[in-house]
Amino acid sequence: MEAGRQGRSPQIWALALALAMTLTGCQSKGGVSEVLDPAAVAAPAGQNGAAGAGPAQASQSLGTGSAKVTMLLPLSAPGTSGETGRKMRDGAKLAMTDIGNGLLTLTIEDTKGDSAQASKLAVQAITTGSKVVIGPTELPSAQHIATLSGSKRPPVLALADNFAGGAGVYAVRLSEADSAAAGAAGLAAKGSKKFVLLVAEGSNASAVEKRVANGLSIYGATLAVTVPYSAGDSGAKAVDQMGSLVDAPDAVIIASGDGSPAPVLAALKSKGIPGKAISVVGTDRWLEHPMDPLFEGAYIATLDPGETGPISDRFRTAYNYPADVNVAYAYDMVALTAGIASAVGPDGFSKQVLENPNGFRGSTGLFRFRADGSSQRSMPFYRIEKGALKLVAKSTSGF
């Protein structure tokens, strides 16, 4: 690590050295037609502006470096969306102070929380010379950008929640698939061998199944069966089906998607699960719902919302409020971008570099990007006890 290097944080991270050693090529320069198919640049249909959004904030430019980077944040959006955007802006500003000011010219644009506006700004950034786009946070916009053509399109480090990723459009935030895989791996590492996956039907179900199966195989464990269930299912049908398909699993994984896992947990409880012989593994999506007594005893792999690594103290000093995971995501993406620019120059943002299988270590822990745009993370492993997360292991991962 580069601890003690002047002008950089204590964890600026071995990125430059690791990236320089793994670099195999650089992006070439090209015109607009080479970057993006002009026929594909329209914003998604049917997306309206965010109700109640405040006046758009003027774009802000930070740093004087030769690598042009655009960051798309919902700075003037109402409610929690705008609060998240402003926290991410402050995280980005700290990363620029720590490492980026002499390497990047970072332009922060306000999407207002409007997916159509975010898509428009992303296309503008893509077609006017940005080497990297960080954001957007709006899921429909991230999904739209992933459909745009252009083999020389600059990479997009999308900050949208529950985004699955796409070629060259990388999902930054922890996904349910990664949380499920890491949670299952945490038990497999302790000797559990046979697992069942109960997964909410939807576009992410197959990704969750694939990630869990791959993660378990690393530990010599198996995913015996996957049982999808619908949002309207009370859970009883899926649990009965599970019982008819597999005998005596060591653990049941519940990937509940947008819905609460409580109905499925109630159906499992009627069968004596969890118990001495069978454990339950949840995902980070559970934590979007109020902590239910039915969650008791389940294992979950998720980021520690109170742990933002070495940036915590300096961030609080600079901005007079505590850093959270949103601050950390933004900090990490700006610092990663600066690290690449430092290692290989402003044209060094190639797939080979960004998809380095060794991954990168930031304030959110160890992570890496895959060719399909998804991310994989190492994270703490918890057990829910008395309505709270109790640490079982400081780090687990399904890769």
Side-chain angles (χ1 to χ4, degrees):
M1 297 207 176
E2 297 181 341
R5 189 180 264 195
Q6 185 177 6
R8 299 191 179 188
S9 78
Q11 195 191 2
I12 306 292
W13 310 345
L15 274 177
L17 177 60
L19 290 168
M21 293 175 64
T22 58
L23 178 65
T24 58
C26 295
Q27 286 185 320
S28 60
K29 296 181 179 179
V32 170
S33 62
E34 293 178 294
V35 175
L36 189 69
D37 178 358
V41 302
Q47 294 174 354
N48 299 318
Q57 295 193 14
S59 62
Q60 181 176 11
S61 183
L62 305 171
T64 58
S66 56
K68 180 181 177 181
V69 178
T70 300
M71 191 170 198
L72 307 176
L73 298 175
L75 300 175
S76 64
T80 58
S81 179
E83 182 181 358
T84 294
R86 293 184 289 274
K87 287 180 177 180
M88 287 184 166
R89 176 196 58 197
D90 291 346
K93 289 170 68 176
L94 183 65
M96 289 296 290
T97 299
D98 283 345
I99 185 175
N101 278 337
L103 297 164
L104 310 177
T105 296
L106 177 69
T107 301
I108 302 176
E109 301 279 6
D110 181 16
T111 68
K112 301 195 294 183
D114 177 356
S115 292
Q117 175 71 358
S119 296
K120 177 182 176 180
L121 290 171
V123 169
Q124 179 178 306
I126 288 168
T127 57
T128 55
S130 289
K131 301 299 184 180
V132 178
V133 176
I134 302 174
T137 64
E138 296 82 4
L139 178 59
S141 178
Q143 292 170 331
H144 175 65
I145 295 165
T147 70
L148 302 180
S149 62
S151 60
K152 294 182 180 180
R153 178 185 61 196
V156 177
L157 306 177
L159 295 167
D161 203 9
N162 303 318
F163 175 54
V169 184
Y170 300 98
V172 171
R173 301 181 74 99
L174 174 64
S175 70
E176 183 168 41
D178 206 28
S179 176
L187 286 186
K190 295 179 179 297
S192 296
K193 293 297 183 183
K194 187 192 294 187
F195 290 76
V196 172
L197 172 63
L198 302 179
V199 60
E201 292 176 344
S203 58
N204 291 331
S206 60
V208 174
E209 179 181 27
K210 183 177 179 181
R211 285 283 294 110
V212 168
N214 288 344
L216 289 174
S217 68
I218 296 170
Y219 296 91
T222 59
L223 181 58
V225 66
T226 298
V227 182
Y229 67 92
S230 67
D233 185 0
S234 66
K237 181 179 178 181
V239 171
D240 286 343
Q241 186 179 359
M242 176 193 81
S244 68
L245 293 173
V246 63
D247 182 51
D250 294 314
V252 179
I253 307 156
I254 304 173
S256 55
D258 294 334
S260 170
V264 178
L265 288 168
L268 285 172
K269 187 175 182 180
S270 71
K271 306 291 186 182
I273 302 171
K276 291 183 178 179
I278 305 177
S279 300
V280 169
V281 177
T283 75
D284 65 307
R285 298 298 301 277
W286 287 28
L287 304 178
E288 297 173 6
H289 304 277
M291 192 68 74
D292 191 292
L294 289 166
F295 293 9
E296 188 73 9
Y299 293 89
I300 293 180
T302 188
L303 298 180
D304 180 352
E307 177 54 53
T308 51
I311 73 171
S312 298
D313 291 343
R314 288 178 302 104
F315 185 86
R316 183 184 284 275
T317 297
Y319 298 102
N320 201 33
Y321 68 92
D324 65 6
V325 70
N326 297 301
V327 169
Y329 281 134
Y331 182 98
D332 284 356
M333 291 308 102
V334 173
L336 171 63
T337 305
I340 294 173
S342 176
V344 292
D347 294 314
F349 299 97
S350 66
K351 285 174 61 67
Q352 291 89 344
V353 169
L354 283 164
E355 295 168 16
N356 170 15
N358 293 323
F360 313 104
R361 184 172 296 280
S363 60
T364 54
L366 179 67
F367 64 94
R368 68 181 184 183
F369 297 123
R370 304 177 70 206
D372 63 1
S374 63
S375 63
Q376 297 176 321
R377 288 184 172 273
S378 176
M379 67 204 84
F381 186 45
Y382 300 94
R383 187 173 187 268
I384 297 176
E385 296 184 7
K386 298 180 180 180
L389 296 174
K390 182 177 180 181
L391 186 65
V392 175
K394 290 184 178 181
S395 180
T396 183
S397 69
F399 67 91

